[in-house]
Every structure is written in C-alpha cells, then in structure tokens.
Amino acid sequence: MEKIIVEGGNKLRGEVNISLAKNSVLPIMVASILSSNDITINDAPDLEDVIVLTNLLSEMNCAVNKNINGDLIINTSNIKLVDMNSELIRKMRASFLIMGPMLSRFGECKISMPGGCNIGTRPIDLHLKGFRLLGAEIEIGHGFVEAKAKKLIGNRIYLDFPSVGATENILMASVFAEGTTIIENAAEEPEIWDLANFLNSMGAKIYGAGTGKITIEGVKADSLKGTTYRAIYDRVEAGTFMVAAAITNSKIIINGANEEHLRPTIEKLKECGVKFSGAGENRILVDGTGQKNPVDIKTMPYPGFPTDMQAQMMTLLSVIKGSSIVTETVFENRFMHVAELVRMGANIKIDGRTAIIEGVDSLTGCEVKATDLRAGAAMILAGLVAKGITEISDIYHIDRGYVDIEEKFRKLGANIYRSNN
Ligand code: EPZ
C-alpha cells in the first residue's frame, strides 16, 4: 500500500509552483457538455479526480484527450445519454454536477445518488430544488436520481445555504433556460466566478457570479462556441503551503497565489504572526519565522474562513502555545483528523462542531491515516515538524486534490518521500 513518509525537523526554503484549482477544473470539465465544439482547458492539474471525471465523460462517448502541453481537449458532440456508472459517481461527488448540463442539453438525466463521504452526508436537496424551480420533474428511487424537463424556464431560486455544488449545477441548468434565472444566496467562492467566466467565454450570459446574486439570461441551446480557458490557481493548495511555512518557521515564495482569493487564509495566518509580502504577479513571500499566537477559527462559506483549510490550520494551532478554538460550521463531520493529530501528541478536545486546542511543545511521528483530502495534507504538515518519522497511509485521498505534493515539499527542503510497500 502506498504511503507518504515524512521525517520532521527540516526548515523549508525556496519557491513552490501551485497547480490550477481542482474545484474550478472539475465543474469546467462538466460544463463542456454545454457545447458541441472543442473545449481546451489549459494546464489541467494531473489529479485523480480529473482522471475519474475524464473516464466518466469518455464513458458518455465524449472525446477527452491531453495534449503535450498538459491541456485537456474535450469534445462532447457525440455525447450519449447513459445510466451514469454508480461506481464512478460514488467515487467522486463532483460528478453529480453532470446533471445540470445534461438537463440543459438533453432535457433529461439519470444519475446514481452521489455517496456521502467521511466529512458529511453531502445532501443534494438544494440542487434538486433548483432543477424543480426551472421546470424539471425529479424522481428518486433505487439509488438513482432522474430528472426530466420538456423545457427549462428561467426562475428565481433562493438557496437556503450558499452551496457551491448547488450553485454550479443550477447555473449550468439555466444557461439555455427560457428567460431569466436569478440565484439568490448563491455561493460566492472564486471557483463559481471561474465557472461563469468560462461559460461566458463560450457565449453564455451570466452576471454577478462571485456575489450572492447571480443572474443568467438564457441563450439558444447549441449556441455556445468552443473556447480555450485557463482556470484560477488552487487557493487551497496555496493555503496549505502557507501553513507549511508557518509550522516549520520558514520563509518561502508561493508562485500561483491570488491574494484576493486567499484573503481569509492570509488574514487568519497574519493573526497567528505570519508575515506576507507581494513578490510579483500571483507570487507571495510567506515569512513564518516569527513568534506565533493562538487564534480562534470559524469556518464559513466564502469570503469566510474556508472549511478546506480547517484541518491544516488546526495542525498549526496544535503546536502554538496557548488555547485556540476551531468551529466547523460547513460540514457536520470534518474533525476526522483530530484523532490522528492526538496520536501524534496533540492536545485537542472535540465538543460537537467545536474543537479546543491546547498547543503542545512538539508532536511525535507515528503511523497515521489520511481520513479525507485536506486531513491528509494536514498529516504531512504535522509530519514536517513532528519528532521522528511519520508514515501516512490512505494517501489516495491526498492524490485526489494535490499534484505531486511530496515532490513539491521535497523541493522546498522537506525530508519526504512516497513508499510503495
Ligand atoms: C465544494 O463541495 C467543494 N468541492 C468542497 O471541496 C468544499 O469543501 C465545499 O464546496 C465547501 O466549500 C468541489 O468543489 C468539487 P457545498 P460541495 O454544496 O459543493 C450542504 C475539497 O476538499 N448542502 O457547498 O459538495 C452540505 O451538507 C472539497 O476540495 C446541503 O445542505 O459543497 C454541506 O454541509 C471537500 N444541500 C454544505 O452545504 C445541498 O443540496 C456545503 O456543501 C448541498 C449542500
């Protein structure tokens, strides 16, 4: 079984190149279903989730190829309506985003219910609420969701929670809907803006993406052109390396960091005592060498502190003297990394959705598991500073969202490698 092995104690130095955003590229790949022309996605990150979605689109008779520059070329002109392979759907929730564009293009879609995962049940009620308000009939049974709509009519859709996936699915379902669709209390994550920007580059008419109110003027079906598009940088990968600089008391340059997208993470790290300075276009110098202070964190939808950075920050707080409180408001079960950190000597107590962290002098290396994508990254961060060797298993979670993570850390001077036994 593959593991990542880290020996703690090294400082980091130099520069790391951040990949393009997984949570942009996945919905953008799915949105290519809305056009019958060639779509080129520049520099698509070579991630497990991108491979799973590539396989799924190929199973639907789409052409998905990677050219020598690492660009994904997608053509969905021969796409077929198939019963979505429940294995692949369950493997990756983001595949449920296929429903919106399939409804738009074919007026129907049958797809297996996406599974939950370690961090929560991951319901889809808001996705289905949006589809119904656009005129679709929804049937759920035998582990499948079936949506049918003779015609999609624009409507006003209020989201009880600013769900990223529901916003994206409804956005894609309304591109060809007749008239105007307004999504209120929409998710404001930068990846939503990126998806809308991609669709507008094909000829869609989407306004206000990145704010809580998005307006979509329906355009004629099969009117979308082909496009070549480069997604935004991965703000969670960049944030993970910022925490790495802080936890190892190092100074590094992050190449591929959009300061605005990283504002919530940067502000919280500044409170901890980390210093930042611009080092050019999308380049940030992170100085984690100073005195660190305990801080309180409450995860919120963007522009609040990102839930995808919670495990990484908790790891940092576990070695900062003093008491910190972390409250996870977005997912109901995103503290699976706590038990692994406690195995390494952290002093963390959970009370419902709140974790109380008492900073310890040091962590000790041992065998730990990656319990989800970001928790796995947090285990690497813990290993960087733990005394001795940390062996991380179940690293398939990490490969879903980070390209060559151990390579990137090794280049920064960490003592880290991947073992196959
Ligand atoms: C996206 O997941 C991201 N995944 C997640 O990143 C991220 O953690 C999450 O947004 C929040 O930012 C991708 O973009 C592929 P949500 P998504 O719908 O869309 C509730 C990572 O590590 N909800 O905003 O599934 C839900 O239960 C991954 O890269 C409903 O109640 O997130 C959850 O509590 C992990 N009903 C909350 O909203 C619904 O219909 C946030 O879910 C949908 C969601």
Side-chain angles (χ1 to χ4, degrees), residues 268 271-272 293-299 305 313 317 323-327 355 357:
K268 193 49 74 175
E271 263 184 70
C272 276
N293 330 298
V295 295
D296 294 343
I297 291 173
K298 186 173 186 181
T299 65
F305 186 85
M313 280 302 289
L317 296 173
S323 304
S324 302
I325 296 176
V326 173
T327 307
I357 301 111

Side-chain angles (χ1 to χ4, degrees), residues 22-23 26 93-94 119 122-127 161-166 168 189 307-308 330-332 334 373-374:
K22 162 179 90 83
N23 292 349
L26 295 176
R93 266 189 61 74
I119 62 178
R122 315 295 293 272
I124 54 167
D125 57 306
L126 297 176
H127 299 239
F161 181 89
S163 154
V164 170
E168 291 168 341
E189 273 72 1
T307 175
D308 292 348
V330 176
F331 287 107
E332 70 266 27
R334 205 169 194 175
L373 163 53
R374 307 303 173 184

